[in-house]
Amino acid sequence: MESRLLLSKLTPMKPILCIVTRADGQIGSALSDAYLGYATPLQTVMVPSGPLSVEDAAPSSRMTEPQEVSPRIVASIEPIIQEHRPGAIAFGLPLKRYGKQPHLQSAKNCEATLFCGQKLLRHDWSVPLRCTIETQLSLAEARKRKETEWEMWEEIDLSSDDCADDPSIAAAISLNAWYGNIVVDGATRLVETAAAGGDSRRMNTLVE
């Protein structure tokens, strides 16, 4: 679902849950507040039976369309949904060049994560609204955003370089960057509308 359409259909006061999966089997999550003002990292969980297989996460010449999501991934994510009851779920990406292991930093791994996100998007989750987030920041870029958008980012501790290894930190960063970009783009549209003599008071321009 397109971002603004999702926000226009989101039930008021319902948070958004962001999920980030990694090839090593870790699943990170973050939750927005009810006003969509900031994201908070949740607990990182490990998929049962360890790292994701090719069938779980990666594309191949025989898989041109996303297949069914592995039951063990569903079993790891659904309890998070049930605990927090979000109005929407978004599937994000790990940080750029996250971790110290080369295989976690490759373009191939990013492709696999995107493919897995498309599979996750098509699953029939117990959440009415779903989307993918393709905005991907590095730790340095996230820290720069935090300097200028402190209230949105204060719940995310970016002080240690090791935080880049935590997929729940990545989920919070992904959610903040996604929503922050929508707000900036919406504000730009409002300014352009006002400059053209339009009604800049209608904030629903943001989600149309």
Side-chain angles (χ1 to χ4, degrees):
M1 179 178 291
E2 198 273 333
S3 300
R4 289 187 180 80
L5 180 59
L6 182 145
L7 290 176
S8 70
K9 293 180 177 295
L10 184 66
T11 301
M13 305 302 291
K14 277 286 191 178
I16 297 175
L17 176 69
C18 183
I19 297 292
V20 167
T21 60
R22 287 202 337 195
D24 61 358
Q26 292 190 70
I27 293 180
S29 59
L31 192 71
S32 76
D33 69 307
Y35 299 98
L36 308 183
Y38 59 88
T40 301
L42 302 177
Q43 184 176 2
T44 295
V45 299
M46 178 65 74
V47 173
S49 302
L52 304 186
S53 66
V54 171
E55 288 74 20
D56 288 328
S60 74
S61 59
R62 295 173 300 170
M63 301 195 314
T64 57
E65 292 293 333
Q67 306 298 307
E68 292 296 320
V69 179
S70 167
R72 63 198 186 110
I73 296 180
V74 174
S76 299
I77 295 176
E78 195 61 44
I80 304 173
I81 294 174
Q82 295 304 317
E83 179 179 356
H84 298 284
R85 299 289 182 177
I89 186 169
F91 298 100
L93 293 171
L95 295 181
K96 292 178 186 175
R97 297 185 60 81
Y98 73 96
K100 300 176 182 178
Q101 302 175 55
H103 71 281
L104 296 180
Q105 302 177 23
S106 67
K108 183 178 180 180
N109 183 70
C110 185
E111 180 186 8
T113 305
L114 282 168
F115 185 82
C116 187
Q118 290 299 319
K119 290 170 66 175
L120 291 168
L121 186 66
R122 295 189 180 196
H123 182 72
D124 186 22
W125 300 101
S126 57
V127 180
L129 303 172
R130 301 180 292 276
C131 75
T132 56
I133 299 175
E134 296 186 11
T135 301
Q136 188 180 30
L137 301 183
S138 66
L139 180 58
E141 289 169 333
R143 285 170 171 168
K144 187 174 182 180
R145 292 281 289 266
K146 184 170 183 176
E147 290 176 359
T148 58
E149 304 167 1
W150 173 254
E151 290 186 358
M152 176 177 277
W153 293 78
E154 64 177 328
E155 295 296 321
I156 310 175
D157 184 1
L158 303 177
S159 58
S160 169
D161 290 344
D162 291 337
C163 73
D165 291 325
D166 187 342
S168 290
I169 295 290
I173 289 173
S174 186
L175 191 55
N176 269 1
W178 172 74
Y179 187 67
N181 289 346
I182 293 174
V183 169
V184 169
D185 183 50
T188 300
R189 293 184 183 209
L190 289 173
V191 170
E192 290 173 349
T193 300
D199 185 359
S200 62
R201 295 171 297 176
R202 295 186 68 242
M203 291 303 291
N204 62 337
T205 301
L206 178 64
V207 294
E208 288 178 346

